[in-house]
């Protein structure tokens, strides 16, 4: 009898410990889950993704403007992979929540999928789109092409709005608004090239970038020494330099293309003429 009680007691302890662990994990914020997963807990990764499948499905259906069937639609599989990708790429020091970051990544991967499908459809002869069924009109290939084009434009515009909203929120965390950014943008091409070079120096130097992210302040002294510019140049253009650095280090492909930021850093041999 004593041995039986001992066995039952051990089982109770295991169940209690398991329940306590589950309760603790449920209380964790998404960012805490990600931090633990990044330490190598792959089982926790599977549980985290499983718990957030309803959220992933919601984002995917909202993007597609229709109900997504997880068992049939490719969009859902793409969204799952994007969510897993978000776990690997999330930066807790970027000032953005994991959920917001994950939604951005999911939407971008879905946009890539839609564009890929459209490119594929365009290499197929348009006559393939003309189908005739009983009691149904013939589908016009030109109209189909136009509809696909309009859909692409709408999705691109929607994605651009989301990106601008994300960037605006990140700028505000540094006390910068879009209106100020416009006002502080350099008027001359040489000045713009120089300031982008300073921002690239900040973005591509891990130590400087970490200092900036931690303090929220530009490492002015280091930038002046590395870039060969005056302290006045960096301080006067602080907001523009910060904005460009955030675009370079963040997930802002539309803004990156719009601002025409080179992949390689500029060489800086002259100061901005301000």
């Amino acid at each position: 009898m004593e041995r039986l009680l001992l066995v039952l007691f051990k089982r109770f302890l295991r169940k209690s410990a398991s329940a306590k662990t589950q309760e603790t994990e449920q209380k964790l914020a998404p960012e805490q889950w990600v931090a633990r997963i990044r330490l190598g807990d792959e089982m926790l990764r599977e549980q985290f993704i499983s718990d957030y499948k309803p959220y992933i499905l919601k984002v995917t259906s909202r993007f597609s403007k229709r109900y997504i069937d997880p068992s049939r639609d490719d969009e859902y599989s793409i969204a799952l992979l994007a969510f897993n990708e978000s776990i690997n790429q999330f930066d807790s020091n970027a000032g953005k929540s994991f959920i917001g970051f994950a939604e951005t990544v999911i939407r971008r991967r879905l946009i890539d999928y839609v564009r890929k499908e459209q490119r594929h459809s365009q290499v197929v002869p348009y006559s393939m789109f003309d189908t005739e069924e009983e009691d149904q009109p013939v589908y016009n290939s030109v109209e189909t092409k136009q509809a696909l084009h309009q859909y692409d434009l709408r999705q691109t515009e929607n994605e651009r709005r989301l990106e601008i909203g994300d960037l605006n929120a990140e700028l505000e965390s540094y006390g910068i608004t879009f209106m100020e950014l416009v006002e502080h943008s350099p008027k001359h091409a040489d000045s713009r090239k120089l300031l982008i070079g300073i921002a690239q120096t900040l973005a591509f130097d891990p130590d400087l970038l970490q200092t900036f992210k931690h303090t929220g302040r530009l490492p002015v002294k280091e930038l002046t020494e590395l870039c060969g510019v005056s302290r006045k140049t960096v301080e006067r253009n602080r907001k523009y330099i910060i904005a460009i650095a955030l675009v370079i280090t963040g997930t802002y492909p539309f803004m990156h293309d719009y601002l025409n930021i080179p992949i390689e850093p500029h060489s800086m041999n002259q100061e901005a003429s301000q």
Side-chain angles (χ1 to χ4, degrees):
M1 176 63 71
E2 292 180 356
R3 185 175 180 179
L4 177 59
L5 290 175
L6 181 60
V7 171
L8 293 174
F9 183 65
K10 287 182 177 180
R11 290 181 179 177
F12 171 76
L13 287 179
R14 284 199 297 268
K15 290 183 178 180
S16 298
S18 176
K20 184 176 181 180
T21 300
Q22 292 178 359
E23 181 181 358
T24 301
E25 290 177 346
Q26 289 173 356
K27 292 181 180 179
L28 292 177
E31 293 77 14
Q32 294 173 306
W33 279 80
V34 173
R36 291 179 58 179
I37 293 170
R38 296 275 280 274
L39 292 176
D41 193 337
E42 291 303 312
M43 292 186 63
L44 190 61
R45 179 191 293 266
E46 294 180 8
Q47 180 180 345
F48 182 52
I49 294 175
S50 178
D51 289 349
Y52 274 83
K53 281 183 177 179
Y55 166 77
I56 297 171
L57 180 60
K58 177 181 177 181
V59 172
T60 309
S61 297
R62 186 169 57 192
F63 171 87
S64 304
K65 294 182 173 59
R66 63 183 177 86
Y67 172 73
I68 294 297
D69 186 345
S71 64
R72 298 177 57 184
D73 292 318
D74 291 340
E75 288 88 343
Y76 181 69
S77 298
I78 291 169
L80 281 177
L81 291 173
F83 189 84
N84 184 62
E85 178 187 345
S86 303
I87 297 175
N88 297 332
Q89 295 184 353
F90 178 66
D91 181 4
S92 59
N93 297 320
K96 185 184 296 184
S97 71
F98 172 77
I99 295 301
F101 175 74
E103 180 173 357
T104 299
V105 175
I106 290 172
R107 295 181 67 85
R108 285 175 183 161
R109 295 298 167 263
L110 289 171
I111 284 177
D112 291 342
Y113 168 76
V114 171
R115 288 174 176 167
K116 181 179 178 181
E117 290 297 300
Q118 290 176 351
R119 286 195 297 270
H120 174 71
S121 67
Q122 289 171 359
V123 300
V124 177
Y126 288 137
S127 59
M128 295 293 292
F129 289 102
D130 293 335
T131 59
E132 185 175 2
E133 299 178 3
E134 186 178 356
D135 298 328
Q136 295 294 332
V138 176
Y139 294 101
N140 185 276
S141 60
V142 175
E143 292 178 354
T144 301
K145 181 182 177 182
Q146 291 176 343
L148 288 172
H149 179 65
Q150 290 299 319
Y151 176 79
D152 185 47
L153 290 177
R154 288 196 301 271
Q155 293 299 324
T156 299
E157 181 63 26
N158 190 39
E159 179 66 12
R160 185 181 291 110
R161 283 198 302 269
L162 289 172
E163 183 176 301
I164 291 175
D166 290 342
L167 178 58
N168 189 52
E170 191 169 9
L171 286 172
E172 288 180 350
S173 68
Y174 293 94
I176 305 172
T177 65
F178 263 110
M179 290 302 297
E180 289 177 314
L181 186 57
V182 173
E183 293 173 2
H184 290 82
S185 296
K187 303 298 186 297
H188 302 289
D190 289 342
S191 299
R192 178 180 175 276
K193 182 177 180 180
L194 176 68
L195 297 180
I196 288 178
I198 297 174
Q200 288 175 322
T201 300
L202 172 62
F204 297 145
D205 188 309
D207 293 332
L208 288 184
L209 185 62
Q210 183 177 7
T211 298
F212 167 65
K213 293 286 189 178
H214 180 70
T215 64
R217 298 180 180 179
L218 280 180
V220 178
K221 179 181 178 182
E222 291 83 352
L223 288 176
T224 57
E225 293 175 353
L226 290 171
C227 301
V229 297
S230 70
R231 186 181 186 92
K232 182 179 178 181
T233 296
V234 177
E235 291 179 339
R236 178 178 292 179
N237 298 283
R238 180 185 70 86
K239 293 183 178 181
Y240 185 79
I241 293 171
I242 289 176
I244 296 298
L246 293 179
V247 171
I248 294 173
T249 58
T251 51
Y252 304 113
F254 288 109
M255 292 302 298
H256 200 283
D257 291 343
Y258 175 75
L259 295 171
N260 195 26
I261 301 173
I263 297 176
E264 296 295 331
H266 287 306
S267 58
M268 294 166 293
N269 299 315
Q270 60 178 351
E271 288 197 8
S273 54
Q274 297 295 318

